[in-house]
Structures are given as structure tokens and as C-alpha cells.
Amino acid sequence: MATLSSCAADANPRHIDIDHGTPEQAWQQCGRLDALPRVELERLLPARSRAVILAPHPDDETLGCGGLISQLAAMGRQLRVVAVTDGEGSHPRQSPLYARLPDMRARESRRALHYLGLGEDAIERIGLPDGAVATYRAELRGWLHEHLAPTDILFAPWRLDGHPDHEAVGRVADEMEADVGCKLVELPIWAWHWAQPEDARFPWRRAHCLPLTPAAEQRKRRALQCYRSQIGADEGRSPVLPAHVLAHFVRPYEILFL
């Protein structure tokens, strides 16, 4: 997950301001999350299907569906996590971490996925430039065409999530549903920060709730702590993922757009 101050303009521009956003308390008090229909894992991932999770940056797979990954891994289901970029753009050049970010973030994601129950052989890295995925959509499409099967279930950030990399990955994933035949499940990530419970752009009619087992919830919390580059302060700069943002991702359930 990399931060930004604004995203591509649309009729009603989305804006990500890391210091100000919708607090988790507002989502919990609105009543909408409690009213969402539940989805069972067996319906989400039919027998013999493989879950392919597209992560624009290392950590997006854990933020968006770490609990899902943990539960599927515990069931012995087929899983593949695809790191689209190495996350090298999460810090400014003047940061002492800047030169080490690609290797550092890859290690963090491997450690996090280990806690979620996956080995290194379950991770694929494409290596597209962080912050420029939209420019390399053809390369991403080509890679996915080579590696996806019609029986795969593709999990990707919501195509209106608010970060240009997330949205580019989401739109390419939507194309794969049409071209390859694999079903797409979209994950809101940055949307929890910029959207409001009554925001008309939020696709509530497609939203479903996946309850997490207590074990999966705990494993996800532990995995999130592996991303030290993102949750720690950086020479006086606020963390990329401050506590009020992380609060959206420690719920006992995950929200999916089906």
C-alpha cells in the first residue's frame, strides 16, 4: 500500500489524505456493515478452483484479504499471491529506507504470508514500477493471460479504490474476467479511508461479509505487524499506515464485492 495525496480526476474526485479520513468508528456505527449478507468460503472458492490474489504493493494482500488467505491456507486450498510491484515508492527519496525498500518490503510480505500459512513458493513477483502500473497495463495483462485459468477466482483491489495502482490492477483484473473467464472478487482497501458510509459510489449491493475465525483474525493481526516499513515512523514523518488507517483492517470479518 503506497500513499498519495490525490488520484485521477473523475466526476466526483476521490482524495486520499493520510491525516484525515473516515474513522473506523463511523463505519462501525453506521449499521451498514452489520447488515451485509454473509458469504461462505465454499461459495467463494468452489472445489478445484485456485485463489489468485493480486497485490499492487506488498501488504495489500494482507490488508485486503489476509483473513481469507489464512482460512484458505488452513483448509489446504490452492493459493497464489501476485505482487505486482515491489512497493519501492512508499517513502520519499530522502528517507533512509528508500534504497532498501524493494528488498525490505519483499521480506516483510514473505514473513507476513508465512504467518498466514503460505510458503515462498506461493508468491509471484512481477516487478512493475510502483506508482506507474497504469502505464504498464499491457505487461500486466500479458502476464496474467499466461498464468490464469478459467477456473481461477481472482481477488483484486476495487477498481475505484482511490490509489492509481489499485485502480489499474482492478481494471485489468476486470478485463481478465471477460477475457479468461475467471471470476473476479474486488477488495476495498483505501476506500475505507476516503469514502463515507453514505457515499453513493460505494457498491453496497455487491458487498458481502466474510466472517473470520478467531484464529484467522489473530494471524492477520500478526501478519500486519510484519510490515515495519509501513507502520513505523520514518525520521519524523508519519507512518505510511498509521493506527487510524490500520483500524479498518483488524475487524473480525472482511468485506468483498461480488
Side-chain angles (χ1 to χ4, degrees):
M1 190 180 204
T3 61
L4 74 166
S5 58
S6 63
C7 60
D10 57 20
N12 214 345
R14 299 173 301 285
H15 181 82
I16 296 176
D17 180 344
I18 197 63
D19 295 319
H20 305 94
T22 304
E24 176 61 12
Q25 184 180 12
W27 290 107
Q28 294 301 321
Q29 291 178 344
C30 74
R32 284 186 175 271
L33 302 185
D34 291 336
L36 291 177
R38 267 48 176 172
V39 62
E40 300 296 328
L41 278 176
E42 291 74 15
R43 176 192 165 196
L44 201 57
L45 194 75
R48 296 188 295 278
S49 290
R50 177 180 64 162
V52 179
I53 294 95
L54 300 185
H57 316 100
D59 74 0
D60 285 322
E61 75 291 328
T62 305
L63 293 163
C65 61
L68 167 73
I69 292 172
S70 176
Q71 293 183 179
L72 291 176
M75 295 167 63
R77 302 300 298 273
Q78 296 183 70
L79 279 161
R80 181 71 61 186
V81 174
V82 180
V84 177
T85 80
D86 292 327
E88 71 276 9
S90 65
H91 290 59
R93 289 183 177 273
Q94 60 267 35
S95 168
L97 297 180
Y98 182 80
R100 296 187 287 127
L101 281 172
D103 290 339
M104 185 177 186
R105 298 199 67 185
R107 287 196 304 273
E108 289 173 346
S109 65
R110 286 195 298 268
R111 190 175 303 117
L113 290 170
H114 170 76
Y115 283 126
L116 295 177
L118 296 185
E120 289 191 31
D121 59 347
I123 309 168
E124 299 272 7
R125 300 192 180 280
I126 301 180
L128 297 184
D130 187 358
V133 174
T135 305
Y136 292 85
R137 283 176 61 174
E139 287 80 357
L140 179 57
R141 279 195 299 267
W143 193 96
L144 292 173
H145 270 293
E146 288 185 19
H147 292 83
L148 290 178
T151 54
D152 288 334
I153 308 299
L154 193 57
F155 295 83
W158 180 35
R159 70 198 78 178
L160 294 180
D161 199 47
H163 188 292
D165 284 348
H166 289 211
E167 297 192 358
V169 170
R171 291 190 173 106
V172 170
D174 181 53
E175 294 171 11
M176 293 301 102
E177 184 173 42
D179 294 351
V180 179
C182 49
K183 178 177 172 55
L184 173 63
V185 177
E186 294 184 272
L187 310 169
I189 300 176
W190 270 119
W192 297 117
H193 188 64
W194 64 259
Q196 298 283 339
E198 301 305 321
D199 197 314
R201 293 165 293 180
F202 214 76
W204 287 111
R205 285 183 293 181
R206 295 174 50 211
H208 288 67
C209 173
L210 175 71
L212 304 182
T213 64
E217 182 185 353
Q218 287 302 112
R219 285 192 289 267
K220 180 177 181 178
R221 287 173 179 264
R222 190 173 185 183
L224 287 170
Q225 293 303 308
C226 293
Y227 296 102
R228 304 306 304 174
S229 68
Q230 308 302 292
I231 65 177
D234 178 35
E235 288 198 342
R237 284 179 287 271
S238 297
V240 175
L241 291 173
H244 65 275
V245 174
L246 278 178
H248 301 310
F249 305 103
V250 292
R251 302 164 178 163
Y253 51 82
E254 291 170 340
I255 306 302
L256 315 170
F257 297 156
L258 305 185

